Amino acid sequence: MLVLDFINVGNGDAILVRETEAGFSMLVDCGHDALRRDDHPQDLDPRSRRIFAGDFLKKQGVSHLDALLLTHFHRDHVGGLGRVLDAVTVGNLLAAYVPPPECPDLDPDGDNGLPGQARNLLRCVNFYAAALREHPRRIANFTELPGDKREQFRLTPELTMDVFFGESALYPAQKRIYDAAFRGHRDRYALMHWSRSMNIASLRQRLYYHGKEIVLGGDFIAALWDRDSTTPCDILKLPHHGSLSSTTRKFLTRLQPKTIVVCVAAGRPDELPHPYIVSLLREYTEDLRFTDAVSIPGLVDPVFHESVHIEIP
């Protein structure tokens, strides 16, 4: 059986994939470092069941992940990495960038003269690097994916995964910018440009299990998806939290998902998920689920749960 848990981390993505017969576990992204973001810190509904990804793993009795895949390095995808590594050991970390060993603290909030966008980028990468630095020997192997071609992995005898990338030139550029930052060289313009490019470098995954196909969209905007990754699927994790850029009619017509899951915090002030996108999604499936207790009058009634839980026999 394949068991999927789209964890209610509030802001961000954290998706636990388990294949029970093989005893295999993989986590895709780690959620935010806080259950309430500092830019919308309103009180949680007392019925809220948001949970850190690391705490969810503990509750599920998961102490080891065979694989941990990071789609990209925004704070709502890597901020929870430290708590995850508190809870589990990892066989293989897969990412398009791995910080150099013993890398220094980037001190994003120090007196560096950088604009806000550049500081925010450094802050995100610093969460990632600090978690690795503070948890030595918790990860057995690091695999830096070059991003120049689709990667294929046989995770178990019954479960396989394709990993898709954006434009191949993005990943060497990302490596140059981050490596330079760790060496103390901070090009403000390169950092600002990359802060606007991180989502289009997000990794995407397609899982294959017993004739079912599951697409995990990261934060890659729908208009840029490759044709070879937009064939029909059974389950779609919607890209980028239901933003206006997450979905197009053409994208949904190609994918034809039977179930759509939106990883998003309830009560965001930035209209995520956007009501237009929710209306569009409902044209394509009756099985539309949200990780958090999203409420949009006339469109979505709140559901309080720790995860969107799906089992595939």
Side-chain angles (χ1 to χ4, degrees), residues 14 28 32 37 76 81 86 92 97 131 137 142 151 160 163 221 225 228 241 245 249 272 296 303:
V28 178
H32 205 278
R37 276 176 35 171
D76 58 338
L81 177 58
D86 285 340
N92 191 17
Y97 176 74
R137 296 178 296 280
F142 294 84
E151 300 277 358
T160 58
V163 179
I221 64 175
W225 283 58
D228 62 359
H241 321 297
S245 67
R249 189 176 297 278
L272 270 64
I296 304 176
V303 178

Short mmCIF file of all heavy atoms in Angstrom, two decimals, residues 14 28 32 37 76 81 86 92 97 131 137 142 151 160 163 221 225 228 241 245 249 272 296 303:
data_model
loop_
_atom_site.label_atom_id
_atom_site.label_comp_id
_atom_site.label_asym_id
_atom_site.label_seq_id
_atom_site.Cartn_x
_atom_site.Cartn_y
_atom_site.Cartn_z
N ALA A 14 4.93 19.84 3.14
CA ALA A 14 5.64 18.71 3.74
C ALA A 14 4.78 17.49 3.44
O ALA A 14 3.65 17.39 3.92
CB ALA A 14 5.83 18.89 5.24
N VAL A 28 8.92 14.84 1.25
CA VAL A 28 9.15 15.88 0.25
C VAL A 28 8.88 17.22 0.91
O VAL A 28 7.74 17.55 1.24
CB VAL A 28 8.25 15.69 -0.99
CG1 VAL A 28 8.49 16.80 -1.99
CG2 VAL A 28 8.51 14.32 -1.62
N HIS A 32 7.40 25.14 7.12
CA HIS A 32 7.96 26.38 7.66
C HIS A 32 8.58 26.12 9.03
O HIS A 32 8.36 25.08 9.66
CB HIS A 32 6.83 27.41 7.77
CG HIS A 32 7.25 28.83 7.73
ND1 HIS A 32 7.73 29.49 8.83
CD2 HIS A 32 7.27 29.75 6.73
CE1 HIS A 32 8.01 30.76 8.51
NE2 HIS A 32 7.74 30.92 7.23
N ARG A 37 3.18 32.42 10.38
CA ARG A 37 4.21 33.27 9.80
C ARG A 37 4.17 34.65 10.43
O ARG A 37 3.11 35.14 10.82
CB ARG A 37 4.01 33.38 8.29
CG ARG A 37 4.62 32.24 7.54
CD ARG A 37 4.39 32.26 6.06
NE ARG A 37 4.37 33.56 5.43
CZ ARG A 37 4.35 33.71 4.11
NH1 ARG A 37 4.35 32.65 3.33
NH2 ARG A 37 4.32 34.92 3.56
N ASP A 76 9.24 28.29 3.61
CA ASP A 76 8.08 27.45 3.90
C ASP A 76 8.25 26.03 3.36
O ASP A 76 7.35 25.20 3.50
CB ASP A 76 6.79 28.08 3.35
CG ASP A 76 6.82 28.34 1.85
OD1 ASP A 76 7.92 28.43 1.28
OD2 ASP A 76 5.74 28.46 1.26
N LEU A 81 13.30 21.98 8.48
CA LEU A 81 14.28 20.90 8.35
C LEU A 81 14.93 20.55 9.68
O LEU A 81 15.16 19.37 9.98
CB LEU A 81 15.35 21.30 7.32
CG LEU A 81 16.50 20.32 7.12
CD1 LEU A 81 16.00 18.94 6.70
CD2 LEU A 81 17.50 20.87 6.09
N ASP A 86 15.71 16.58 14.00
CA ASP A 86 15.59 16.21 15.41
C ASP A 86 14.85 14.88 15.58
O ASP A 86 15.09 14.14 16.54
CB ASP A 86 14.80 17.28 16.18
CG ASP A 86 15.61 18.55 16.44
OD1 ASP A 86 16.86 18.48 16.39
OD2 ASP A 86 14.99 19.60 16.69
N ASN A 92 19.15 9.40 2.36
CA ASN A 92 19.66 10.17 1.22
C ASN A 92 18.89 11.47 1.11
O ASN A 92 17.65 11.47 1.05
CB ASN A 92 19.50 9.36 -0.07
CG ASN A 92 20.24 9.96 -1.25
OD1 ASN A 92 21.12 10.80 -1.08
ND2 ASN A 92 19.88 9.55 -2.46
N TYR A 97 20.72 21.72 -4.75
CA TYR A 97 21.90 22.38 -4.20
C TYR A 97 22.15 21.83 -2.81
O TYR A 97 21.22 21.68 -2.00
CB TYR A 97 21.71 23.90 -4.11
CG TYR A 97 22.88 24.60 -3.44
CD1 TYR A 97 24.08 24.77 -4.11
CD2 TYR A 97 22.79 25.06 -2.13
CE1 TYR A 97 25.16 25.37 -3.50
CE2 TYR A 97 23.86 25.67 -1.51
CZ TYR A 97 25.06 25.82 -2.19
OH TYR A 97 26.13 26.43 -1.59
N ALA A 131 20.44 23.97 9.61
CA ALA A 131 19.89 22.68 10.02
C ALA A 131 20.86 21.55 9.74
O ALA A 131 21.04 20.64 10.58
CB ALA A 131 18.57 22.44 9.31
N ARG A 137 25.86 14.02 10.96
CA ARG A 137 25.71 12.57 10.94
C ARG A 137 24.25 12.10 10.99
O ARG A 137 24.00 10.92 11.19
CB ARG A 137 26.53 11.92 12.07
CG ARG A 137 28.04 12.14 11.91
CD ARG A 137 28.81 11.55 13.05
NE ARG A 137 28.52 12.19 14.32
CZ ARG A 137 29.04 13.35 14.71
NH1 ARG A 137 29.89 13.99 13.92
NH2 ARG A 137 28.72 13.88 15.87
N PHE A 142 24.32 12.65 0.61
CA PHE A 142 23.77 13.84 -0.04
C PHE A 142 23.89 13.67 -1.55
O PHE A 142 24.97 13.35 -2.06
CB PHE A 142 24.54 15.09 0.37
CG PHE A 142 24.40 15.45 1.83
CD1 PHE A 142 25.21 14.84 2.78
CD2 PHE A 142 23.47 16.38 2.25
CE1 PHE A 142 25.10 15.17 4.13
CE2 PHE A 142 23.34 16.72 3.58
CZ PHE A 142 24.16 16.11 4.52
N GLU A 151 15.45 13.03 -13.82
CA GLU A 151 16.06 11.96 -13.02
C GLU A 151 14.99 10.92 -12.72
O GLU A 151 13.84 11.25 -12.42
CB GLU A 151 16.60 12.52 -11.70
CG GLU A 151 17.66 13.59 -11.86
CD GLU A 151 19.05 13.04 -12.09
OE1 GLU A 151 19.20 11.80 -12.10
OE2 GLU A 151 19.98 13.83 -12.25
N THR A 160 8.15 3.94 -8.23
CA THR A 160 9.19 4.67 -8.94
C THR A 160 8.86 6.16 -8.94
O THR A 160 7.72 6.57 -8.71
CB THR A 160 9.36 4.17 -10.38
OG1 THR A 160 8.11 4.31 -11.07
CG2 THR A 160 9.78 2.72 -10.40
N VAL A 163 11.87 12.87 -11.40
CA VAL A 163 12.06 14.23 -10.91
C VAL A 163 12.29 15.13 -12.11
O VAL A 163 13.17 14.85 -12.94
CB VAL A 163 13.24 14.33 -9.92
CG1 VAL A 163 13.42 15.77 -9.47
CG2 VAL A 163 13.02 13.42 -8.72
N ILE A 221 5.44 27.22 -11.41
CA ILE A 221 4.19 27.80 -11.93
C ILE A 221 3.70 27.02 -13.14
O ILE A 221 4.48 26.51 -13.94
CB ILE A 221 4.36 29.30 -12.26
CG1 ILE A 221 5.38 29.52 -13.38
CG2 ILE A 221 4.75 30.08 -11.01
CD1 ILE A 221 5.47 30.96 -13.82
N TRP A 225 5.25 24.41 -17.20
CA TRP A 225 5.43 22.96 -17.12
C TRP A 225 5.76 22.38 -18.50
O TRP A 225 5.22 22.79 -19.52
CB TRP A 225 4.17 22.29 -16.57
CG TRP A 225 4.05 22.43 -15.09
CD1 TRP A 225 4.00 23.59 -14.38
CD2 TRP A 225 3.97 21.37 -14.15
NE1 TRP A 225 3.90 23.31 -13.04
CE2 TRP A 225 3.87 21.95 -12.87
CE3 TRP A 225 3.95 19.98 -14.25
CZ2 TRP A 225 3.77 21.21 -11.71
CZ3 TRP A 225 3.85 19.23 -13.09
CH2 TRP A 225 3.76 19.84 -11.83
N ASP A 228 6.12 16.81 -21.21
CA ASP A 228 6.31 15.42 -20.78
C ASP A 228 5.93 15.19 -19.32
O ASP A 228 5.89 14.07 -18.86
CB ASP A 228 7.76 14.96 -21.03
CG ASP A 228 8.79 15.75 -20.25
OD1 ASP A 228 8.42 16.69 -19.53
OD2 ASP A 228 9.97 15.41 -20.38
N HIS A 241 0.56 26.59 -3.73
CA HIS A 241 -0.42 26.95 -2.70
C HIS A 241 -1.70 27.60 -3.25
O HIS A 241 -2.36 28.36 -2.54
CB HIS A 241 0.22 27.87 -1.65
CG HIS A 241 1.62 27.51 -1.31
ND1 HIS A 241 1.95 26.31 -0.72
CD2 HIS A 241 2.80 28.16 -1.51
CE1 HIS A 241 3.26 26.24 -0.57
NE2 HIS A 241 3.81 27.34 -1.05
N SER A 245 -0.76 32.01 -10.21
CA SER A 245 0.20 31.43 -11.14
C SER A 245 0.27 29.91 -11.04
O SER A 245 0.95 29.26 -11.83
CB SER A 245 1.60 32.00 -10.88
OG SER A 245 2.09 31.57 -9.61
N ARG A 249 -6.16 26.69 -17.09
CA ARG A 249 -7.10 25.72 -17.64
C ARG A 249 -6.37 24.70 -18.53
O ARG A 249 -6.68 23.50 -18.51
CB ARG A 249 -8.18 26.46 -18.42
CG ARG A 249 -9.35 25.58 -18.86
CD ARG A 249 -10.43 26.40 -19.53
NE ARG A 249 -11.00 27.36 -18.61
CZ ARG A 249 -11.95 27.08 -17.71
NH1 ARG A 249 -12.40 25.84 -17.62
NH2 ARG A 249 -12.43 28.03 -16.93
N LEU A 272 -4.30 33.39 -0.94
CA LEU A 272 -3.90 32.02 -1.25
C LEU A 272 -4.66 31.09 -0.31
O LEU A 272 -4.56 31.28 0.90
CB LEU A 272 -2.39 31.83 -1.07
CG LEU A 272 -1.50 32.08 -2.28
CD1 LEU A 272 -1.55 33.51 -2.72
CD2 LEU A 272 -0.08 31.64 -1.97
N ILE A 296 -13.72 29.47 2.39
CA ILE A 296 -14.10 30.46 1.38
C ILE A 296 -15.60 30.33 1.20
O ILE A 296 -16.08 29.33 0.66
CB ILE A 296 -13.38 30.24 0.04
CG1 ILE A 296 -11.86 30.24 0.22
CG2 ILE A 296 -13.78 31.32 -0.96
CD1 ILE A 296 -11.09 29.92 -1.05
N VAL A 303 -12.06 22.18 7.07
CA VAL A 303 -11.88 20.83 7.59
C VAL A 303 -10.62 20.85 8.45
O VAL A 303 -9.55 21.27 7.99
CB VAL A 303 -11.73 19.79 6.46
CG1 VAL A 303 -11.49 18.39 7.05
CG2 VAL A 303 -12.96 19.78 5.56
#
